[in-house]
Every structure is written in C-alpha cells, then in structure tokens.
Amino acid sequence: QVQLAESGGGSAQAGGSVRLSCEVTGAINKPYCLGWFRQNPGKEREGVAVIFSTSGNIYYAESVKGRFTISPDNAKNTLYLQMHSLKLEDTAMYYCATWTGGSCLKWLKEGGAHSDYWGQGTQVTVSS
C-alpha cells in the first residue's frame, strides 16, 4: 500500500515563495509518474508538474513554467514542489499523486485522472 502525505502549504504574498513536500511510503514496483495537482472548489483539478520515475522526465503546466520546480529526493522518499513568484491564481489545494498507467504528460494534461494514489492535500493561499 502506497501512502502520500503532503505538507508545507500555508499563506504567502503574491510574488513570494512556498515549498511543498510529499512524503511517499510504500513501494511502487513498476515505472510510475509522480506529480502535483491542484484544485479549487467548483473547479476542475489541473496538473501542475509531474516526473517520471525511471527517466526523470519532467513536465509542467504552462501556467507554472519558469516559476515552479518539481524535484525528488530519493533518499528521503520525498517529492518537492518549489513555487516562486506566486500569483493569486496559484491559490488552491495542492495534491500529490502517483500513476502507473502510461504517459506522464497525458496524466498531467488530464488533471491526474485515474491516479493510483492521492495524498490528502495541502492548502496554498496567495494574497495581495
């Protein structure tokens, strides 16, 4: 059983930075995608950034390119999302998830549909 636990959310001012962490426990015994998604109430979930376990290929949503960085720390079984130059529209509940179903880019674009596991989420609120 795989479990994901996000942390690091909170409040930040526009232009500021926040780093999210996702601790992964349990083994995934095949190549997988690991990534970050976000959602606001009443809106569709959107992909933020994902990474493929074997190649290390990374994909970002256009809205966060150049501002957010996804990075794994394999020794700590933790995935990070470093967010800089925050905007009001970055306000959301952020979730990490895993998927073993194929294309990580497709998974990102589909907002994490059919993910295998989800964390409980961590709220990020950006204010002016």
Side-chain angles (χ1 to χ4, degrees), residues 8-58:
S11 298
Q13 288 195 321
S17 300
V18 171
R19 189 178 79 160
L20 305 182
S21 301
C22 173
E23 183 178 3
V24 182
T25 55
I28 305 174
N29 297 315
K30 58 192 297 187
Y32 60 91
C33 307
L34 180 60
W36 290 96
F37 299 83
R38 64 187 183 186
Q39 188 171 26
N40 281 302
K43 294 191 176 181
E44 289 190 359
R45 186 175 56 230
E46 64 172 332
V48 176
V50 301
I51 184 168
F52 186 43
S53 63
T54 52
S55 67
N57 285 349
I58 290 172

Side-chain angles (χ1 to χ4, degrees), residues 103-123:
S103 167
C104 295
L105 178 58
K106 179 174 181 284
W107 184 55
L108 173 77
K109 290 182 176 181
E110 292 181 346
H114 312 298
S115 294
D116 299 317
Y117 298 99
W118 288 96
Q120 81 287 351
T122 186
Q123 178 70 35

